[in-house]
């Protein structure tokens, strides 16, 4: 069965999987979604005997139907290799009654590696399939992790270049150092004086600028996206929820068909949307618990049915979740509107023009499987400290938001179903916040002193990604105003 993709804002704009990956964003500003979500065909008990690459193929072949078996297996093998520091790729760690799905064992120690290790291979394969001769310019906004993972994935990939915008004062010191020291002749990193939403809005505006597209075409360039708005980012994320379920099945922790709860620390909504797609495809998931930080726009949405971005933007210790416009939520809105592109387009217009939209009571009923929660910065720190003192396991700030929300959910609901918490980043990426949560005495230490102390406390080896930046030279020093992003891109590309 061939799966076709269409825009969430225009039912007439359709694309194959490879075309949707190449475009990134639909021409009307909508996101590409499958016209139907395929059902898993291989029994979970059988997948429980497979390794990560084999599970990835069984899942991804259902969604990326215009890729041949040879093409898809080559992309998977190229992505999930020695770049990951464990053969399991995404191991599970049990601690204090929950199973932490460690998604940070890739080259940049964050969950974005899970999809951004394979996206360059999907994209270059898609370009060949569609006879694209222009250089593909990956244009991306990051709240911290996507940027480095995309840079690492696309560095020196023939036929591509990558430009990453990030909020200059809105990422952790380690995140920034990872990006600005990135090597690769085709890589550019730009800090903006603004927040992540400003960066994301600027990138979307460039994607929707027809004059810019024509100017680029004349010079032999075309845009694509590495953000989670690209369906080539979303499909690989479905894999690790299936993998987690089958590992728990193999261990006897779950019975085949038993419901699994999933808790995801959520910013742009792509990671939890992948779990929702897995559920729609037949994975036995019970509750999808959406965890927010102090920027609780999603929590308020699930509580009220109103999405309202008109609020103070708060910088927290979980910066990858400091987002007020969760782009991937649009894919869910489209689905609960009955795949109604016109209704979705109307709501997205309201968000853009008025900063708020309200879903109907019928749409709210479709959200019954979702549960929203949020954790303050203080609660996040307390969760890190308590889990460490109780078990010796150390988690990062984003994972701690999810763990805090899960603890509250379990106390209030009495729901003791087997639960997976998406552990989205290594604690080494947020050492100061993590270590001072454990004990304020650590605040007087330098960043790399903290790295070594974290290694001692946790009994884990310092990741290579951190060792690499201890003395790395800063190669990217450009900073621009939020309204000068297009001008900066034009200069980089020589337009």
């Amino acid at each position: 069965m061939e799966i076709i993709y269409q825009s969430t804002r225009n039912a007439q704009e359709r694309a194959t999987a490879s075309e949707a990956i190449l475009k990134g964003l639909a021409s009307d500003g909508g996101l590409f979604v499958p016209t139907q979500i395929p059902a898993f065909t291989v029994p979970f008990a059988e997948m429980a005997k497979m390794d990560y690459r084999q599970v990835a193929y069984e899942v991804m072949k259902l969604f990326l139907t215009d890729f041949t078996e040879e093409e898809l297996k080559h992309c998977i093998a190229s992505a999930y290799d020695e770049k990951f520091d464990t053969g399991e790729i995404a191991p599970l760690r049990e601690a204090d009654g929950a199973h932490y799905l460690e998604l940070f064992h890739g080259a940049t120690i964050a969950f974005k590696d899970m999809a951004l290790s394979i996206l360059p291979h999907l994209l270059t394969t898609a370009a060949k399939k569609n006879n694209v001769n222009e250089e593909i310019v990956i244009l991306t906004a990051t709240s911290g992790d996507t940027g480095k993972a995309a840079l690492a994935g696309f560095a020196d990939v023939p036929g591509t270049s990558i430009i990453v915008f990030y909020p200059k004062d809105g990422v952790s010191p380690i995140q920034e150092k990872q990006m600005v020291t990135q090597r690769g002749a085709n890589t550019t990193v730009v800090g903006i004086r603004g927040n992540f939403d400003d960066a994301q809005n600027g990138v979307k505006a460039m994607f929707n600028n027809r004059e810019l597209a024509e100017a680029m075409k004349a010079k032999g360039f075309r845009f694509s996206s590495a953000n989670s708005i690209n369906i080539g980012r979303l499909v690989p994320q479905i894999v690790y929820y299936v993998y987690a379920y089958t590992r728990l099945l193999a261990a006897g922790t779950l019975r085949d068909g038993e419901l699994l709860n999933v808790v995801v620390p959520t910013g742009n909504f792509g990671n939890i949307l992948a779990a929702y797609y897995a559920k729609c495809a037949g994975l036995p998931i019970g509750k999808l618990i959406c965890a927010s930080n102090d920027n609780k726009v999603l929590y308020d949405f699930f509580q009220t049915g109103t999405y309202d971005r008109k609020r103070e933007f708060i910088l927290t210790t979980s910066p990858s979740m400091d987002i007020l416009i969760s782009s991937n939520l649009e894919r869910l809105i489209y689905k609960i509107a009955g795949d109604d592109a016109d209704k979705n387009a109307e709501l997205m217009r309201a968000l853009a023009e008025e900063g708020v939209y309200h879903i109907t009571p019928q749409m709210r009923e479709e959200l019954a499987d979702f549960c929203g929660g949020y954790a303050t910065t203080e609660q996040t720190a307390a969760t890190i400290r308590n889990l460490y003192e109780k078990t010796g396991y150390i988690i990062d700030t984003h994972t701690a938001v999810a763990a805090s929300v899960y603890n509250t959910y379990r106390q209030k609901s009495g729901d003791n179903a087997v639960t997976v918490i998406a552990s989205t980043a290594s604690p080494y990426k947020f050492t100061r916040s993590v270590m001072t949560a454990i004990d304020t005495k650590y605040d007087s230490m330098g960043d790399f002193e903290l790295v070594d102390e974290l290694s001692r406390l946790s009994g884990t080896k310092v990741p290579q990604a951190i060792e690499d930046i201890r003395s790395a030279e800063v190669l990217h020093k450009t900073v621009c105003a939020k309204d000068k992003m297009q001008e900066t891109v034009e200069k980089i590309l020589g337009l």
Side-chain angles (χ1 to χ4, degrees), residues 151-429:
L151 288 161
F154 282 94
D156 294 323
V157 171
T160 72
S161 58
I162 177 165
I163 303 169
V164 170
F165 287 95
Y166 75 97
K168 182 72 182 81
D169 299 313
V171 300
S172 80
I174 295 282
Q175 285 177 311
E176 183 172 46
K177 190 90 185 280
Q178 281 189 298
M179 286 189 282
V180 298
T181 58
Q182 175 66 50
R183 296 184 179 280
N186 64 340
T187 65
T188 308
V189 180
V190 183
I192 69 155
R193 290 186 281 273
N195 61 39
F196 170 72
D197 287 332
D198 296 323
Q200 184 164 252
N201 289 338
V203 164
K204 282 184 176 179
M206 283 185 267
F207 268 98
N208 292 329
N209 187 322
R210 300 251 170 109
E211 287 178 15
L212 179 59
E214 288 301 317
M216 288 179 63
K217 190 174 180 181
K219 290 276 191 174
F221 297 115
R222 66 180 286 166
F223 278 144
S224 190
S225 170
N227 275 73
S228 56
I229 54 176
N230 192 316
I231 199 71
R233 275 278 304 275
L234 193 60
V235 170
Q237 290 180 280
I238 298 169
V239 174
Y240 48 72
Y241 293 107
V242 179
Y243 182 75
Y245 189 91
T246 59
R247 295 320 95 173
L248 293 168
L249 199 58
T253 308
L254 280 174
R255 298 183 309 279
D256 200 353
E258 184 180 349
L259 294 181
L260 171 73
N261 286 346
V262 173
V263 191
V264 187
T266 310
N268 222 14
F269 207 75
N271 202 2
I272 195 165
L273 183 74
Y276 174 70
Y277 275 18
K279 180 180 171 73
C280 292
L283 191 68
I285 289 177
K287 280 290 180 187
L288 293 149
I289 302 166
C290 177
S292 300
N293 63 16
D294 291 293
N295 293 289
K296 55 189 181 70
V297 64
L298 286 166
Y299 168 76
D300 291 341
F301 168 72
F302 284 114
Q303 291 294 108
T304 65
T306 294
Y307 193 97
D308 186 355
R309 66 172 171 84
K310 302 190 308 277
R311 61 182 68 207
E312 180 192 0
F313 184 93
I314 302 168
L315 291 173
T316 74
T317 55
S318 47
S320 299
M321 297 161 66
D322 291 348
I323 294 173
L324 295 182
I325 302 173
S326 299
S327 291
N328 267 294
L329 184 64
E330 178 170 346
R331 286 185 164 114
L332 179 64
I333 296 299
Y334 170 83
K335 185 93 168 53
I336 64 173
D339 296 351
D340 186 335
D342 292 337
K343 176 64 177 173
N344 177 69
E346 175 193 319
L347 293 171
M348 294 307 121
R349 263 194 307 275
L351 183 64
E353 293 168 12
E354 299 154 34
V356 63
Y357 64 77
H358 312 275
I359 63 172
T360 65
Q362 292 85 353
M363 290 169 73
R364 284 196 71 183
E365 287 173 15
E366 296 293 318
L367 296 175
D369 293 333
F370 284 89
C371 175
Y374 76 98
T376 65
T377 297
E378 293 73 25
Q379 289 169 323
T380 301
T383 301
I384 292 171
R385 182 173 59 256
N386 293 340
L387 188 64
Y388 169 68
E389 289 174 351
K390 201 170 181 180
T391 68
Y393 187 51
I394 299 178
I395 56 175
D396 92 294
T397 45
H398 302 74
T399 307
V401 168
S404 176
V405 166
Y406 171 60
N407 290 338
T408 302
Y409 167 80
R410 189 166 52 174
Q411 286 160 12
K412 286 186 176 176
S413 68
D415 182 354
N416 289 312
V418 177
T419 297
V420 160
I421 295 176
S423 186
T424 52
S426 166
Y428 286 94
K429 206 150 193 172

